[in-house]
Amino acid sequence: MLEQIDHRGKRFTIDDDSTRDKAGIRRCQRAAALERQAQRERRKLEHAKAVAGSAGANPDVEVLDR
């Protein structure tokens, strides 16, 4: 770790690269997993809309219109 002093005179430390890289890799992996989950949910929603047809959005309104 490297100790530094910021422009206000407060001390702070900088972790070594391996620790930050591991944390960055974990964040990237988590972001990728969340993106895959979002894509799966989007596909499920699109499939559900296709199966439901035009009445799927507001079925009560269509029944009342008849």
Side-chain angles (χ1 to χ4, degrees):
M1 290 201 290
L2 181 63
E3 189 171 320
Q4 294 283 319
I5 300 175
D6 69 3
H7 67 282
R8 296 170 292 181
K10 293 192 174 198
R11 294 183 180 273
F12 66 96
T13 57
I14 299 174
D15 291 336
D16 63 338
D17 289 338
S18 63
T19 304
R20 284 189 297 161
D21 288 342
K22 289 178 185 176
I25 290 169
R26 282 193 300 267
R27 281 193 304 273
C28 288
Q29 289 172 340
R30 179 71 177 142
L34 288 172
E35 180 62 29
R36 286 191 302 270
Q37 179 183 358
Q39 289 174 356
R40 279 193 306 272
E41 290 175 0
R42 201 173 304 125
R43 283 193 302 267
K44 285 181 182 179
L45 179 61
E46 289 172 1
H47 177 63
K49 285 180 181 179
V51 169
S54 61
N58 289 317
D60 295 337
V61 173
E62 188 173 318
V63 169
L64 292 175
D65 288 341
R66 291 181 190 174

